[in-house]
Amino acid sequence: MIEGTETATGARFPQVRMRRLRAGSTMRRMVRETRLSPDQLILPAFAIAGRDARVPIPSLPGHSRMSPDLVADTARRAFAAGVPAMLLFGVTDHKDAAASAAYEAGGVVQSAVAAIKDAVPEMVVITDVCLCAYTDHGHCGVLVGDRVDNDQSLELLARTAVSHADAGADIVAPSDMMDGRVGAIRAALDAEGHVETTIMAYSAKYASAFYGPFREAAGSAPGFGDRRGYQMDPANGQEAVRETLLDVAEGADMVMVKPAAAYLDVISAVRSATDLPLAAYHVSGEYSMIKAAAERGWLDERLAAMEVLTGIARAGADMVITYYAEDAARWIAEGEVR
Ligand code: PBG
């Protein structure tokens, strides 16, 4: 008989056989540590102007830019599948230096929020608050020379958040990475009477290559340079905790790590550092990679997607923002995904 190494409790092989707990799917169900639930999933969507308009996004298979009426149809379907929340982005051709389309009343995001609230009042509507899809240069704030000016950007971000709350958004989610934006947005919301509007801060948002398909979808790639002057360096983990604690101090109600799959250690560190609800964003490139490999027959899409989403939850995320939200909710409902 082969004797194993003694463990801390003194138990060893063959008394200890870890495989006993893996003997069958029912046993595995009982001892499973992480149970991904549809309640944790948030579905992103891209809103455009018009009616009955749908423009597929080639690099995000299964997703389209949609007019507000079709965003509302998606909301109905997703909510029925068990997804409690959507995260909205706006796509527009009306771009200028001051990102005025970001905060105009009746803008695309504002209209889509109203359409969802009309169709599915119980659905939680989250809006992305950023300027990059509305500036003619594609950066996330106001330019002074070739630099994004932090403090001038705050005012426009706050105005954008207020316009989303005016339209009925339950949660505003600033993704710009300007310093002080959470505090500026909280103050502006409160001043306008939106004391109940929740802030989900993209606290640890990295300058990632995995946003590629999103930038195609939103037409928000920077016209020059990159976002490394405001988004985080992928090499930094400790800094994510500092960023998060600053957002908490400024009044964030929820925090976020983004991307997710390449940043599981960051999710875990942020989880330990704060009690606030924590979201992780499984971003466009992380979704498209699985899609592309599955299309080639290189991966089982369902198993690969569920493994990654479960891993993100296991790392400590309470909520997972994912383009797989609707599919995953159905897969979970269909039973054991393994
Ligand atoms: C806006 C924003 C981006 C994403 C979410 N909000 C793009 C970026 O920062 O360039 C990316 C989401 C995704 O890739 O799915 N600043």
Side-chain angles (χ1 to χ4, degrees):
M1 189 171 59
I2 302 162
E3 299 255 326
T5 322
E6 200 159 304
T7 67
T9 54
R12 58 182 175 175
F13 179 82
Q15 287 78 26
V16 174
R17 288 178 181 269
M18 297 302 283
R19 290 181 53 186
R20 287 183 191 124
L21 302 181
R22 301 171 195 151
S25 66
T26 311
M27 181 75 86
R28 290 195 295 271
R29 225 170 83 201
M30 291 171 71
V31 300
R32 185 157 294 142
E33 297 177 31
T34 307
R35 291 185 178 83
L36 192 66
S37 155
D39 295 341
Q40 296 173 274
L41 303 174
I42 298 171
L43 177 67
F46 299 90
I48 53 175
R51 248 199 94 69
D52 201 22
R54 177 190 304 277
V55 184
I57 305 162
S59 58
L60 274 180
H63 287 266
S64 302
R65 306 174 190 90
M66 293 174 287
S67 52
D69 53 319
L70 298 189
V71 172
D73 287 348
T74 300
R76 252 190 230 104
R77 216 181 47 226
F79 195 77
V83 176
M86 283 176 75
L87 169 61
L88 293 180
F89 298 93
V91 187
T92 179
D93 295 330
H94 299 290
K95 305 190 188 217
D96 58 30
S100 35
Y103 41 84
E104 68 193 1
V108 280
V109 166
Q110 293 80 354
S111 306
V113 170
I116 297 178
K117 279 290 161 190
D118 202 36
V120 201
E122 317 83 50
M123 182 162 239
V124 170
V125 180
I126 311 171
T127 56
D128 184 87
V129 175
C130 195
L131 305 182
C132 61
Y134 308 93
T135 50
D136 47 16
H137 45 72
H139 277 287
C140 300
V142 177
L143 279 191
V144 174
D146 60 1
R147 245 185 96 74
V148 174
D149 187 86
N150 194 85
D151 299 10
Q152 282 188 49
S153 304
L154 294 184
E155 197 204 320
L156 300 186
L157 289 162
R159 205 187 294 180
T160 303
V162 169
S163 77
H164 293 173
D166 286 343
D170 301 290
I171 303 179
V172 293
S175 69
D176 52 284
M177 290 303 279
M178 297 303 122
D179 288 315
R181 78 263 164 82
V182 172
I185 288 171
R186 185 71 271 161
L189 287 172
D190 290 355
E192 296 299 322
H194 292 301
V195 295
E196 298 287 345
T197 306
T198 299
I199 299 178
M200 173 190 274
Y202 284 75
S203 299
K205 176 173 176 181
Y206 288 87
S208 172
F210 290 100
Y211 306 151
F214 173 96
R215 290 180 189 172
E216 185 196 318
S220 66
F224 68 90
D226 54 47
R227 302 208 201 290
R228 287 182 293 180
Y230 38 102
Q231 297 181 349
M232 285 182 58
D233 183 338
N236 294 355
Q238 283 301 125
E239 188 188 348
V241 173
R242 289 179 62 207
E243 276 283 9
T244 303
L245 295 179
L246 283 170
D247 286 353
V248 174
E250 287 177 31
D253 301 288
M254 301 170 167
V255 293
M256 192 200 298
V257 172
K258 172 186 172 186
Y263 296 86
L264 296 177
D265 59 318
V266 177
I267 295 172
S268 174
V270 169
R271 168 75 298 157
S272 307
T274 172
D275 295 333
L276 264 63
L278 170 60
Y281 197 149
H282 183 241
V283 300
S284 58
E286 297 180 296
Y287 168 85
S288 300
M289 283 198 305
I290 299 176
K291 277 275 174 199
E295 269 171 23
R296 294 184 169 206
W298 290 351
L299 285 178
D300 178 318
E301 181 180 17
R302 179 171 160 150
L303 292 180
M306 288 304 292
E307 184 174 330
V308 172
L309 298 179
T310 302
I312 294 166
R314 190 193 62 236
D318 301 303
M319 294 160 277
V320 186
I321 302 165
T322 171
Y323 300 90
Y324 273 118
E326 225 188 306
D327 293 325
R330 293 215 175 81
W331 293 333
I332 293 165
E334 281 165 19
E336 208 207 349
V337 197
R338 265 187 284 165

